[in-house]
Structures are given as structure tokens and as C-alpha cells.
Amino acid sequence: MGYAFAILVGYLLGCSNMALYICKAKKLDIRNAGSANLGAANSTIVLGWKWGILVGVHDIGKAIIAMVLTRLFFPTALYADAVAGVACVLGHIFPVFLKFKGGKGFASFLGMTLALNWKFALVVLVLVVLITVITDYLVAATLTTVIIVPIYMGIAQQSVCLPLVLLVATAVIFYRHRENIPRMLNGTEIGLRSTLKKKTNV
């Protein structure tokens, strides 16, 4: 029951999409601009950093809520909270209410990391900022993070099961960034600095 609850609650919360709510309020669709997905990064690119932060906080928060609820109702179910976090990431990426076309899951992955180990998550956030600033690409920080987190959690918890659960989210996030990777390598990916500069000048 604990794992079924984790999957259901995590997935349904993951389907909640703040970027879509903002689009409806502004009567526009960011799926037709920027990187063409309903996530925090594209919200920043198309709408500006203030809206991007709002979307990011929402996407981080829903993963945390899913995991906290799972712990509250099923405290003895081993790694059920991690299952809820992964389900939230999958719900964000493949929301049933949007014909399975959502965001790319990184903010919810960060929320899951915060709920698992907030101290390590703070280190991860610093790494995300540093990698993004150095490379100018959030994609680079995203892919580095989703590899590091399962490895660290497995070592810290001395567990094989936990990283295997987390690697499901890692694999799907890599799949969702399959088009960004070659663009990043050949320099045609949209850079964060150019995005922020553009929005500042508007």
C-alpha cells in the first residue's frame, strides 16, 4: 500500500504545472517558444527570471510534499518516499492531463534531493550554480546533478536499492534532454547569460 500510495500521490502532484497556469493567465503558450517545454528553465527563457523562479519553487515544492505525505502515512515503507519523489518527476515530465507532454523534471528532481538529504542538496545547488555560470548551460548542471545524486545517496545510505530507484528519474531526465545535449556541444543551445541579458534589456 505504501508504494502504491507513493506512486499515485507523487505522480498526481507531479502533473501539477505552474508554467501552464501562468500561460493560461497570460493567454500564451511557452511550448511554442524557447526550448518548447513547460518547465522552470523555459519559463525563465520566455517569461523572465521572476516567473521562472515561481515555476521552479512550485516544481521543487510538489516533490517535497509528495515525499512528506508518503513518510507521514507510511513511515515504515523502505524508500517509499524516494519512490514518491521519482513518481513526481515522472508526473512532471509525462503529465496525463497534458497528453504526457510536460517539463524536463530537473526542478522536481532537486525537490526530491532536498527531501532526501537537505544538507547535501545545498551542496548540489551550489554546484548547479557554479556549473551553469562556468558553462553558461543549465543543461550541463542538470545532467551532472542527476548522475551525482544517486551515486552519493547510495554511498551515504550504504544501499543499492535507493540509487536504483533514483536512477529511474536520471534515465528519464537524460532522455528528455536528448536534443539539448548535441546543441550544447555545438554551441547552439540557449545560454543562461544571454537569456538573462535579454530579459534585463526588455
Side-chain angles (χ1 to χ4, degrees):
M1 281 296 295
Y3 299 104
F5 175 89
I7 292 170
L8 181 62
V9 170
Y11 180 79
L12 290 177
L13 282 173
C15 289
S16 174
N17 194 295
M18 180 59 70
L20 179 66
Y21 307 149
I22 294 171
C23 284
K24 288 185 175 181
K26 287 181 166 288
K27 297 181 179 180
L28 54 81
D29 193 343
I30 64 172
R31 287 172 291 188
N32 297 321
S35 59
N37 78 92
L38 289 167
N42 198 38
S43 297
T44 301
I45 291 169
V46 179
L47 303 173
W49 65 269
K50 292 180 181 179
W51 293 111
I53 289 175
L54 176 61
V55 173
V57 169
H58 172 271
D59 292 347
I60 288 170
K62 64 188 182 183
I64 295 173
I65 291 171
M67 295 174 70
V68 169
L69 287 174
T70 300
R71 289 171 183 166
L72 180 64
F73 289 104
F74 298 95
T76 61
L78 188 64
Y79 304 133
D81 57 344
V83 171
V86 171
C88 185
V89 172
L90 297 182
H92 179 78
I93 296 173
F94 304 116
V96 64
F97 308 113
L98 292 172
K99 299 180 180 179
F100 305 103
K101 296 179 180 179
K104 295 191 174 180
F106 183 51
S108 294
F109 189 94
L110 287 177
M112 178 180 68
T113 305
L114 275 165
L116 286 172
N117 186 327
W118 67 268
K119 292 181 180 179
F120 176 65
L122 293 180
V123 176
V124 168
L125 289 173
V126 172
L127 287 175
V128 168
V129 172
L130 289 175
I131 294 171
T132 303
V133 169
I134 292 169
T135 65
D136 195 32
Y137 297 124
L138 181 58
V139 176
T142 296
L143 300 181
T144 302
T145 298
V146 299
I147 292 172
I148 290 175
V149 170
I151 293 173
Y152 174 82
M153 292 299 176
I155 294 172
Q157 297 290 328
Q158 295 185 340
S159 166
V160 174
C161 293
L162 179 57
L164 287 177
V165 171
L166 301 181
L167 281 171
V168 173
T170 297
V172 176
I173 289 173
F174 258 85
Y175 172 77
R176 284 292 282 122
H177 286 83
R178 66 193 183 281
E179 296 176 354
N180 301 84
I181 295 171
R183 290 201 300 263
M184 179 179 63
L185 294 175
N186 62 32
T188 58
E189 178 73 0
I190 299 172
L192 184 63
R193 283 192 288 271
S194 61
T195 299
L196 295 177
K197 183 178 179 180
K198 178 182 175 182
K199 293 301 176 182
T200 302
N201 293 333
V202 171

